[in-house]
């Protein structure tokens, strides 16, 4: 999400690591990476690659959780099938099952509004605001006051930026708040579903193949960005027209081969490569096992509750898919940590840094106290993390979550806008309304009750002094029967009607879920204030320690790229398989492999039309001469994480050759530490995408728009 970066901390840009594949790089780091990029095979100028006013990077967009890219002058956006899955689900119902059958708009007029809250964010600018963020920050401030000062500075910067119409701005920290940048984006509010292949292609292999290789999944789909006739960004309206992007990606017409240079550009979500050894150890020894079990139990409860109810199955399909995806990833991270001795690596890196600090009195003076403070704060934070996992499960009850959201909205509206909590300002009103609207197609009272009861069982495992006693007492007083029988929050019009009511009406309400929200609020607010106090102290300590880490790396001839934080990054590598004793992964999967997996049922049920054409070798111009067949997916060494889903994969000329959609289970530990021997990214090959569009679904209108065959 970033414009050309002229980073304040020049230490970030001085050198690059020997291991080219590692790194989620900022666009402004291309000058330092130039020689490495050219040696790896980049045919573009590194300076051009880092320019967010030109292709390819200004064609890369965020969906607010997934990545995507413009692939036509008419605002057509390519991303993963699983990134448009929520919109497929939202538009599905019994008798109109786009999840199974897929969806293709024959004309512009047939394109469907995406799920409420869908956005396309187009990056326009990014600037260093570190000095402005640190205004008024002193060592004398308490943690709570430091947090509030930083938040006030952040809000002021955002408010000034958003005086421009149709813009969404944000300030994000890098290196624990050692540096800050403000991002400015055009927020496109009218997003429409254009095309998604059948589930038997877009999700071929399901959970069985998820995070696995070999893979044969056509994980792709298309949105379109719409704006008002005058070019302004407005919500859905029939008279809106396709957005005209400044740039879009050219679809490659030269075959991708083993060993070729590739890049991925997108918006990786969160990595923890700069966490301390103590944080990592606590996470893997305590947090992850519990988190994985909670998610597994949640998935199992949903599956049981919706079984035999087609409407409920559709309503909870997106929620279930997300839970299943993450629970499996957690298993991979746990196993991967053992395989690469992650804890040993972190212990050594931590010890090396501390020895470097201790070896010089000046460094000890500069970083020693910050290290001591950070150690104490990490120990304090670690104690709360497991409890918070269980306490948070009650938010799976959608009506309770909606009631708490609405009551907090009412409480915050009683303050001046600049003093409200993030997410509850006037700028958030539309997204709040859309979030509350989504419930109508993702809620079933019977299922919600089952999930709430399960959550309360987990909640009760937390020590009594950590739980919200008034909330528990009110639940016991009302009882489950009354909660679901007497509420009107399941009705969308009634739910939205609460948005403009004052807090006093909530406090006088007889709606049982509103009573829960009111009862819970004081305890939640007290916990929130404690968290702010700790967060302020953590920012002070961690930013100072990270300044030391940057200096330590510089002395060793290394550059630290910041942990992923949802901002635009690029990473590069090669199309490469993997080999170890008893195992060979070829870099491409093919049509023959897909046909061999086809069973015609369950997770391996591609459409008959697709299987028939694959068996007949009707590959058309999309076959690869060297492979002698149609490629489906491929592996590379590029460095990605969650949030990169839907990221465009580019060749050495910056042309579109596919979409990143997954990693392999043994490599997902790269969120914590990159290992070139095991890290691989899975991409859907653009040739399989185009073949499906052409030969299976008849999407010639879109192919022509994308310039394919012209």
């Amino acid at each position: 999400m970033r414009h050309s970066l002229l980073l304040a901390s020049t230490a970030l840009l001085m050198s690059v690591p020997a291991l080219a594949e590692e790194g989620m790089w900022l666009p402004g780091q291309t000058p330092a990476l130039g020689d490495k990029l050219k040696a790896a095979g980049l045919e573009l100028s590194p300076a051009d690659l880092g320019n967010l006013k030109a292709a390819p990077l200004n064609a890369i967009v965020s969906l607010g959780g997934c990545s995507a890219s413009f692939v036509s002058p008419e605002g057509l956006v390519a991303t993963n099938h699983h990134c448009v899955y929520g919109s497929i689900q939202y538009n599905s119902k019994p008798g109109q099952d786009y999840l199974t059958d897929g969806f293709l708009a024959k004309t512009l007029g047939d394109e469907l509004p995406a799920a409420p809250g869908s956005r396309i964010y187009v990056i326009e600018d990014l600037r260093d605001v570190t000095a402005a963020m640190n205004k008024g920050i002193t060592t004398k401030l308490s943690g709570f006051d430091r947090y509030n000062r930083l938040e006030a500075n952040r809000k002021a910067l955002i408010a000034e930026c958003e005086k421009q119409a149709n813009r969404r701005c944000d300030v994000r920290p890098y290196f624990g708040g050692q540096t800050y940048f403000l991002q400015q984006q055009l927020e496109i509010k009218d997003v429409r579903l254009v095309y998604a292949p059948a589930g038997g292609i877009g999700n071929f292999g399901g959970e069985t193949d998820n995070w696995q290789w070999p893979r044969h999944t056509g994980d792709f789909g298309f949105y379109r960005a719409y704006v008002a006739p005058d070019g302004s960004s407005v919500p859905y309206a029939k008279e809106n027209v396709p957005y005209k992007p400044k740039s879009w990606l050219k679809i490659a017409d030269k075959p991708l081969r083993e060993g070729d240079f590739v890049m991925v550009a997108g918006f990786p979500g969160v990595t923890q490569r700069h966490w301390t050894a103590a944080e990592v150890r606590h996470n893997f020894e305590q947090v992850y096992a519990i988190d994985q079990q909670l998610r597994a139990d949640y998935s199992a409860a949903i599956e049981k509750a919706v079984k035999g109810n087609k409407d409920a199955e559709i309503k909870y399909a997106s929620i279930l898919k997300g839970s299943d995806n993450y629970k499996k990833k957690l298993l991979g991270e746990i196993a991967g940590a053992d395989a690469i001795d992650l804890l040993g690596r972190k212990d050594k890196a931590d010890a090396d840094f501390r020895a470097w600090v201790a070896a010089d009195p000046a460094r000890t003076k500069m970083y020693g106290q910050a290290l001591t403070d950070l150690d104490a704060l990490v120990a304090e934070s670690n104690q709360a993390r497991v409890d918070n996992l269980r306490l948070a499960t009650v938010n799976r009850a959608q009506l309770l979550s909606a009631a708490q959201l609405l009551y907090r909205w009412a409480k915050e509206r009683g303050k001046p806008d600049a003093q409200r909590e993030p997410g509850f300002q006037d700028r958030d009103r539309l997204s709040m309304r859309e979030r509350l609207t989504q419930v109508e197609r993702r809620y079933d009272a019977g299922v919600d009750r089952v999930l709430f009861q399960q959550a309360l069982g987990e909640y009760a495992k937390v020590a009594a002094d950590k739980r919200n006693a008034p909330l528990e007492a009110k639940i016991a007083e009302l009882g489950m029967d009354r909660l679901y029988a007497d509420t009107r929050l399941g009705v969308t019009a009634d739910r939205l009607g609460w948005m403009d009511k004052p807090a006093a009406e909530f406090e006088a309400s007889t709606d049982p879920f509103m009573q829960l929200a009111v009862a819970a609020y004081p305890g939640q607010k007290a916990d929130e204030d404690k968290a702010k106090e700790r967060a302020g102290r953590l920012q002070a300590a961690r930013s100072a320690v990270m300044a030391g880490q940057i200096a330590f790396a510089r002395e060793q001839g290394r550059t630290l790229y910041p942990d992923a934080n949802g901002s635009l990054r690029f990473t590069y590598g090669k199309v490469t398989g993997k080999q170890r004793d008893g195992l060979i992964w070829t870099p491409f999967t093919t049509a023959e492999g897909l046909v061999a997996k086809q069973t015609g049922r369950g997770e391996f049920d591609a459409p008959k039309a697709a299987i028939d054409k694959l068996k007949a070798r009707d590959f058309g111009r999309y076959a690869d001469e060297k492979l002698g067949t149609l490629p489906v997916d491929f592996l590379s060494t590029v460095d990605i994480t969650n949030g990169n889903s839907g990221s465009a994969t580019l060749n050495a000329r910056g042309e579109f050759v596919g979409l990143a959609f997954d990693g392999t289970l043994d490599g997902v530990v790269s969120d914590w530490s990159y290992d070139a021997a095991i890290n691989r990214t899975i991409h859907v090959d653009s040739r399989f995408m185009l073949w499906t569009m052409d030969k299976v679904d008849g999407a010639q209108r879109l192919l022509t728009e994308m310039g394919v065959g012209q």
Side-chain angles (χ1 to χ4, degrees):
M1 303 179 184
R2 302 310 194 212
H3 188 65
S4 296
L5 299 180
L6 299 175
L7 295 178
S9 300
T10 56
L12 304 182
L13 305 177
M14 293 183 62
S15 60
V16 296
L19 186 60
E21 290 86 353
E22 179 179 356
M24 299 177 190
W25 298 101
L26 299 164
Q29 291 181 290
T30 51
L33 289 167
D35 291 343
K36 293 285 185 181
L37 286 164
K38 298 300 283 188
L42 178 69
E43 296 179 21
L44 298 175
S45 159
D48 289 344
L49 173 61
N51 180 10
L52 285 187
K53 292 187 179 296
L57 288 190
N58 77 332
I60 307 301
V61 300
S62 170
L63 302 180
C66 278
S67 302
S69 53
F70 287 119
V71 290
S72 91
E74 297 298 319
L76 189 66
V77 168
T79 188
N80 286 156
H81 183 273
H82 74 261
C83 292
V84 302
Y85 194 81
S87 292
I88 305 171
Q89 175 272 322
Y90 196 84
N91 283 286
S92 294
K93 57 187 177 183
Q96 184 178 287
D97 187 0
Y98 298 139
L99 291 168
T100 300
D101 302 332
F103 171 78
L104 173 64
K106 296 296 184 183
T107 68
L108 284 175
D110 296 323
E111 295 175 358
L112 298 174
S118 298
R119 295 287 189 275
I120 293 172
Y121 296 100
V122 184
I123 186 66
E124 294 181 327
D125 192 18
L126 184 130
R127 53 189 177 271
D128 186 339
V129 292
T130 306
M133 279 294 293
N134 286 331
K135 185 177 181 180
I137 300 297
T138 71
T139 57
K140 295 180 180 179
L141 290 177
S142 68
F144 187 75
D145 289 342
R146 185 185 187 92
Y147 177 93
N148 286 334
R149 180 72 262 171
L150 286 167
E151 191 57 45
N153 291 344
R154 174 180 172 273
K155 288 178 187 172
L157 288 163
I158 290 171
E160 182 64 28
C161 179
E162 290 185 355
K163 287 180 179 178
Q164 307 168 87
N166 308 318
R167 266 58 188 181
R168 191 74 175 183
C169 305
D170 194 13
V171 176
R172 296 182 184 231
Y174 296 76
F175 298 111
Q178 196 267 336
T179 308
Y180 293 90
F181 288 87
L182 183 145
Q183 64 181 7
Q184 176 183 313
Q185 299 169 297
L186 172 65
E187 179 184 20
I188 295 179
K189 304 181 186 76
D190 186 350
V191 180
R192 303 191 196 178
L193 180 64
V194 177
Y195 168 53
I201 288 180
N203 193 31
F204 185 80
E207 278 307 300
T208 299
D209 272 9
N210 191 18
W211 303 104
Q212 303 294 328
W213 188 261
R215 199 74 175 272
H216 300 83
T217 306
D219 196 347
F220 70 94
F222 290 87
Y223 278 145
R224 192 184 304 277
Y226 279 77
V227 292
D230 66 1
S232 61
S233 176
V234 296
Y236 172 85
K238 284 188 176 181
E239 61 270 22
N240 286 355
V241 298
Y243 170 71
K244 307 288 187 182
K246 293 179 180 178
S247 299
W248 57 93
L249 300 178
K250 178 183 184 295
I251 310 302
D253 56 9
K254 293 183 179 180
L256 190 66
R257 297 281 165 77
E258 181 175 4
D260 279 359
F261 173 95
V262 286
M263 299 180 289
V264 159
F267 300 83
V270 178
T271 57
Q272 300 90 3
R273 295 181 186 175
H274 297 315
W275 276 26
T276 68
E279 287 174 294
V280 176
R281 182 172 298 280
H282 176 77
N283 190 80
F284 280 89
E285 291 183 345
Q286 296 189 49
V287 176
Y288 261 13
I290 295 171
D291 193 6
Q292 200 281 331
Q293 188 61 55
L294 288 173
R295 292 174 188 273
D297 292 345
Y298 182 47
S299 291
I302 293 174
E303 289 177 337
K304 183 177 180 180
V306 303
K307 189 173 183 179
N309 182 339
K310 184 64 175 178
D311 184 53
E313 287 178 5
I314 291 173
K315 285 180 175 178
Y316 283 82
S318 181
I319 296 171
L320 180 60
K321 186 175 178 64
S323 178
D324 282 345
N325 181 63
Y326 204 75
K327 75 178 186 186
K328 191 169 185 178
K329 183 186 179 185
L330 288 174
L331 285 175
E333 292 197 29
I334 293 167
D338 289 338
I340 68 169
D341 187 23
L342 174 64
L343 300 184
R345 287 187 182 194
K346 293 300 295 186
D347 285 341
K348 183 180 186 306
D350 202 39
D352 289 347
F353 173 62
R354 290 169 189 268
W356 176 80
V357 170
D360 185 306
R363 294 196 292 259
T364 301
K365 182 177 180 180
M366 191 172 298
Y367 309 121
Q369 186 59 51
L371 267 171
T372 299
D373 292 345
L374 184 58
D375 288 343
L377 285 163
V378 164
E380 183 181 329
S381 299
N382 282 347
Q383 291 177 10
R385 292 187 65 207
V386 172
D387 287 343
N388 288 341
L389 284 174
R390 288 199 163 99
L391 293 174
T393 59
V394 295
N395 293 322
R396 294 171 179 171
Q398 293 191 62
L399 296 194
L400 175 59
S401 181
Q404 292 180 135
L405 193 66
L406 284 161
Y407 184 49
R408 186 60 181 270
W409 178 255
K411 296 287 282 186
E412 295 297 326
R413 284 178 63 238
K415 307 174 187 176
D417 190 63
Q419 295 178 23
R420 299 179 196 172
E421 291 297 320
F424 295 92
Q425 295 180 275
D426 289 341
R427 68 196 288 265
D428 304 305
R429 182 180 176 83
L430 178 60
S431 60
M432 178 75 69
R433 184 179 181 85
E434 291 169 332
R435 182 175 171 185
L436 291 164
T437 301
Q438 285 183 3
V439 176
E440 68 184 0
R441 291 295 304 138
R442 293 174 183 166
Y443 168 78
D444 176 273
V447 177
D448 196 75
R449 177 170 175 165
V450 167
L451 299 178
F452 193 14
Q453 288 174 317
Q454 182 200 54
L456 289 173
E458 294 297 338
Y459 193 88
K461 294 177 183 178
V462 179
D465 63 333
K466 303 292 180 59
R467 307 199 302 261
N468 192 314
L471 172 64
E472 291 185 291
K474 184 59 70 172
I475 292 171
E477 174 191 330
L478 294 170
M480 280 288 166
D481 289 342
R482 184 178 167 192
L483 275 175
Y484 286 91
D486 292 354
T487 187
R488 294 284 299 171
L489 282 182
V491 179
T492 299
D494 289 13
R495 189 167 58 252
L496 296 179
W498 281 94
M499 283 195 67
D500 293 313
K501 293 183 179 181
E505 287 198 37
F506 288 78
E507 289 149 13
S509 174
T510 59
D511 186 290
F513 278 105
M514 287 305 181
Q515 292 182 18
L516 292 188
V518 171
Y521 178 77
Q524 292 170 339
K525 185 67 169 60
D527 288 343
E528 186 179 290
D529 288 346
K530 291 177 185 176
K532 288 180 180 180
E533 165 66 25
R534 185 164 57 244
R537 290 182 288 138
L538 268 169
Q539 188 276 339
R542 198 184 296 276
S543 61
V545 170
M546 287 309 306
Q549 291 278 14
I550 291 168
F552 179 49
R554 184 172 64 246
E555 282 199 10
Q556 296 178 318
R558 297 183 295 115
T559 296
L560 291 187
Y561 51 87
D563 265 320
N565 63 356
S567 63
L568 179 62
R569 309 293 178 94
F570 74 92
T571 181
Y572 65 100
K574 293 190 179 295
V575 177
T576 306
K578 188 164 68 173
Q579 183 171 340
R580 67 172 186 260
D581 187 37
L583 174 69
I584 297 176
W585 285 357
T586 58
F588 289 92
T589 57
T590 65
E592 287 76 10
L594 193 157
V595 171
K597 283 185 177 178
Q598 170 77 356
T599 65
R601 59 187 180 274
E603 297 173 318
F604 297 91
D605 187 14
K608 184 177 184 301
I611 295 299
D612 288 347
K613 289 183 180 293
L614 293 175
K615 286 181 175 178
R617 300 184 63 78
D618 183 5
F619 305 144
R621 57 185 168 175
Y622 309 108
D624 184 292
E625 286 186 15
K626 189 170 183 180
L627 292 173
T629 185
L630 175 69
V632 177
D633 296 330
F634 64 91
L635 287 174
S636 82
T637 56
V638 298
D639 187 2
I640 69 166
T641 188
N642 288 9
N644 273 122
S645 290
S647 294
T649 306
L650 310 173
N651 63 16
R653 297 174 294 282
E655 298 167 336
F656 183 93
V657 294
L659 295 166
F661 71 91
D662 215 348
T664 59
L665 199 61
D666 60 339
V668 293
V669 72
S670 64
D671 282 359
W672 303 86
S673 181
Y674 183 92
D675 190 309
I678 64 172
N679 189 85
R680 293 294 182 273
T681 291
I682 307 175
H683 315 248
V684 59
D685 196 299
S686 60
R687 291 167 288 185
F688 184 66
M689 294 171 59
L690 301 176
W691 176 85
T692 304
M693 297 170 73
D694 184 358
K695 297 287 188 176
V696 180
D697 290 331
Q700 277 71 28
R701 173 177 76 96
L702 302 181
L703 292 170
T704 299
E705 181 181 333
M706 293 161 64
V708 175
Q710 297 180 357

